[in-house]
Amino acid sequence: MSTVPFKSTVPFLLRWGAPELLAAVFLTGCGGAAGQVSGRVTSQGQGVAKAEVTFSLDGQAAEVFYGVSQNDGKYVVDVAGKRGLPPGKYQVTVTDFVLADGTPLPGGEEGVVLRNSGRAVRRTHGLTKEVAAGANEIEIKLEEGQLLPQPELE
């Protein structure tokens, strides 16, 4: 059995009409086109800090992508350290915490203490969003979503 050295493999492919195949591999990479998702989580027009954002590919529960909003409500969904997720229809859940009267938690350390001490109310909102290939700037308005029941804590 003879082997073909790597140096001669590319010219061999080029001679036999495979330039299109090589170009496709180098231009598209290993995966298909991905959608980069970023945006802002808002409630009544104000940015929601520290909201947990989850995108689940519709009909494929195993395809879940996460992000957390910054203090101004802006978020980016990252996938294993890379930006991008498959285009499609997504079920989006956003979990935030508010005071018992529904007002947003204060920023900074005070908000963290309220959240961690159990004095804040956890809310989860459900929405549906579409992700296309390329850049997607998706504003998530919590008032447009459905408030989901909270799981029982043991």
Side-chain angles (χ1 to χ4, degrees):
M1 177 174 173
S2 69
T3 60
V4 178
F6 179 74
K7 289 192 294 188
S8 67
T9 304
V10 171
F12 171 79
L13 289 172
L14 292 174
R15 272 190 306 232
W16 291 99
E20 296 84 6
L21 174 63
L22 287 173
V25 168
F26 287 116
L27 292 175
T28 63
C30 294
Q36 294 81 37
V37 177
S38 62
R40 190 166 182 239
V41 178
T42 63
S43 178
Q44 307 301 323
Q46 300 298 313
V48 177
K50 309 289 187 238
E52 300 164 4
V53 181
T54 304
F55 279 70
S56 302
L57 192 54
D58 204 19
Q60 297 183 28
E63 294 283 349
V64 179
F65 308 93
Y66 303 95
V68 176
S69 65
Q70 301 171 6
N71 288 335
D72 60 0
K74 291 183 180 177
Y75 71 94
V76 174
V77 176
D78 287 324
V79 181
K82 301 175 187 171
R83 292 187 180 168
L85 52 155
K89 186 176 181 179
Y90 283 83
Q91 297 303 314
V92 179
T93 57
V94 180
T95 301
D96 71 330
F97 291 83
V98 295
L99 297 174
D101 65 0
T103 58
L105 290 180
E109 190 175 326
E110 184 182 1
V112 172
V113 169
L114 288 168
R115 180 178 171 171
N116 293 340
S117 68
R119 291 183 283 167
V121 177
R122 176 186 169 132
R123 302 184 305 181
T124 303
H125 309 265
L127 306 99
T128 301
K129 297 290 182 180
E130 193 76 31
V131 173
N136 292 264
E137 185 75 20
I138 299 177
E139 183 172 0
I140 299 173
K141 298 179 182 179
L142 296 184
E143 55 273 11
E144 292 178 357
Q146 176 184 356
L147 201 54
L148 302 175
Q150 296 302 308
E152 294 289 324
L153 298 178
E154 296 177 9

